[in-house]
C-alpha cells in the first residue's frame, strides 16, 4: 500500500520528546513497517539463534526461510506494523536502547533517494523531479511513490533505499510526494553477479596487493590491516548470487574509515584494488565494482572530514 499525504503524516509527527516506541506505534498505525535502530542508526544484531543465518532467515527475505524468532532480528526484514510485536517482551530490550526508528520503504511502496551531502542535494535539484523531502543530518531524503530494488553508491553520496532496505524516520517532510520517475529507476544499475556459463565478465589487468610498502604512514600494524581486509574480502566473495557490489561498497567504506586518523599514506588504493578483484571474482562487472569501491572510499573520507 502506497501512503497518501495524510497517511504519511502519523499523529504526533516525529515526537520531539524522543520516545522512539511511541513514534513507531504511530507509524505502524499509519501502515508503515518499523524497527528499532541502535546507536549509529543501525539495526540491532541478530540473537544467537539467528546468527550466521542459522535460523534460515525471515520468510519475507530474498531467500525465504523458517525463522519465527520473536526478536527484532534480520534488520529491515523485522520491520512490522503489528503493535503486538512492536510492544512485545522480545522487542522491549531493543526499545530501551533504541536511539531512533527505522522503517522499510519498500514495504509501504516507497523509494527513498538518500542524499548524503550538500553536493548530492545540489545534483538532485538539478536532475530529479521534485517530490517530498526530509532533512537529514548531512543532506536530505527524497521520497517517491513506488518500490524498486535498493542500491548503495549509485553515485557519490547517493543511495537508493526501497526493497530489502531500511531508512531512518526523520519526520514526514514537506512537499508533494510524486511517482518514482524513470530517472530515479535508472540510478539503479543492474548488478550482474552471476556470469553466464563460459563467459568472463571482466578481467583485471593488474592486481595490487596491500602491504606495508604501500602504507608507510599507516598507524596500524600489517597484521591488523590484513585481518580486517581478509574479513571484508570473504564477505564479498560469499555473495555469489547477488549483492556483492553493494557489499564491496560497504567494505571499502568501513575499511577506509579505520584510517581516518592515520598520518598517511595508508595504501587505500591497494586495499580498494583487492576489494574490486574480490567482487569481480564472483561476477560483478569491473566498471560497477570499481565505481562502488571508489564511492565507498570517498564516502568514508567525506564523513571523516
Amino acid at each position: 500500500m502506497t501512503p497518501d499525504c495524510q497517511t504519511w503524516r502519523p499523529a504526533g509527527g516525529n515526537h520531539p520528546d524522543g520516545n522512539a516506541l511511541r513514534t513507531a506505534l504511530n507509524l505502524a498505525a499509519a501502515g508503515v513497517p518499523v524497527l528499532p535502530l541502535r546507536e549509529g542508526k543501525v539495526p540491532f544484531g541478530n540473537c544467537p539463534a539467528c546468527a550466521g543465518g542459522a535460523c534460515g532467515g525471515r520468510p519475507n527475505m530474498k531467500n525465504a526461510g523458517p525463522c519465527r524468532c520473536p526478536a527484532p532480528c534480520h534488520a529491515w526484514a523485522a520491520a512490522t506494523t503489528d503493535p503486538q510485536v512492536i510492544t512485545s517482551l522480545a522487542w522491549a530490550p531493543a526499545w530501551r536502547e533504541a536511539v531512533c526508528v527505522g522503517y522499510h520503504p519498500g514495504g509501504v511502496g516507497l523509494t527513498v533517494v538518500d542524499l548524503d551531502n550538500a553536493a548530492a542535494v545540489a545534483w538532485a535539484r538539478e536532475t530529479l523531479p521534485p517530490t517530498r523531502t526530509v532533512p537529514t543530518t548531512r543532506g536530505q531524503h527524497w521520497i517517491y511513490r513506488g518500490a524498486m530494488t535498493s542500491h548503495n553508491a549509485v553515485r557519490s553520496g547517493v543511495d537508493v533505499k526501497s526493497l530489502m532496505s531500511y531508512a531512518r524516520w526523520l519526520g514526514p517532510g514537506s512537499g508533494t510526494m510524486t511517482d518514482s520517475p524513470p530517472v530515479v529507476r535508472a540510478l539503479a544499475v543492474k548488478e550482474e553477479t552471476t556470469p553466464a556459463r563460459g563467459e568472463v565478465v571482466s578481467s583485471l589487468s593488474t592486481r595490487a596487493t596491500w602491504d606495508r610498502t604501500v602504507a608507510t604512514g599507516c598507524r596500524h600494524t600489517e597484521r591488523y590491516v590484513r585481518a580486517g581486509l581478509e574479513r571484508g574480502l570473504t564477505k564479498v566473495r560469499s555473495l555469489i548470487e547477488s549483492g556483492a557490489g553493494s557489499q564491496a561498497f560497504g567494505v571499502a567504506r568501513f575499511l577506509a574509515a579505520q584510517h581516518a586518523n592515520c598520518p598517511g599514506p595508508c595504501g587505500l588504493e591497494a586495499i580498494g584494488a583487492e576489494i574490486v578483484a574480490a567482487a569481480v571474482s564472483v561476477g560483478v562487472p569491473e566498471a560497477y565494482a570499481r565505481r562502488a569501491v571508489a564511492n565507498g572510499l570517498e564516502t568514508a573520507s567525506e564523513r571523516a572530514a
Side-chain angles (χ1 to χ4, degrees), residues 22-175:
R22 188 179 304 139
T23 298
L25 287 170
N26 277 277
L27 283 168
V32 181
V34 295
L35 69 155
L37 299 180
R38 59 185 171 87
E39 187 176 358
K41 301 176 290 184
V42 296
F44 285 80
N46 292 346
C47 72
C50 295
C55 63
R58 295 284 186 190
N60 61 329
M61 298 184 80
K62 183 173 182 180
N63 297 315
C67 179
R68 294 293 186 273
C69 175
C73 295
H74 309 298
W76 66 269
T80 181
T81 59
D82 187 340
Q84 292 187 342
V85 173
I86 296 170
T87 59
S88 67
L89 290 176
W91 282 47
W95 288 121
R96 285 195 292 269
E97 297 181 29
V99 297
C100 56
V101 178
Y103 69 99
H104 179 206
V108 72
L110 298 176
T111 292
V112 177
V113 181
D114 184 3
L115 308 166
D116 205 31
N117 52 49
V121 172
W123 166 84
R125 288 172 177 165
E126 294 179 357
T127 309
L128 305 182
T131 188
R132 175 153 299 191
T133 62
V134 180
T136 67
T137 305
R138 293 180 297 271
Q140 294 179 353
H141 285 172
W142 287 34
I143 304 174
Y144 293 93
R145 287 194 299 263
M148 60 183 289
T149 56
S150 301
H151 296 265
N152 287 328
V154 293
R155 58 176 292 118
S156 180
V158 182
D159 297 331
V160 176
K161 300 179 177 180
S162 185
L163 297 171
M164 297 178 67
S165 184
Y166 72 91
R168 182 185 178 193
W169 173 258
L170 292 165
S174 60

Side-chain angles (χ1 to χ4, degrees), residues 286-304:
E286 184 179 337
Y288 183 99
R290 289 191 181 280
R291 185 178 71 210
V293 170
N295 285 341
L297 296 175
E298 181 181 347
T299 300
S301 298
E302 290 173 350
R303 289 184 175 181

Side-chain angles (χ1 to χ4, degrees), residues 192-193 195 200-204 236-237 244-245 248 273-290:
E192 298 290 354
T193 57
V200 176
V201 175
S202 60
S203 60
L204 299 176
V236 174
R237 296 189 189 107
E274 291 204 48
I275 301 171
V276 169
V280 169
S281 73
V282 291
V284 179
E286 184 179 337
Y288 183 99
R290 289 191 181 280

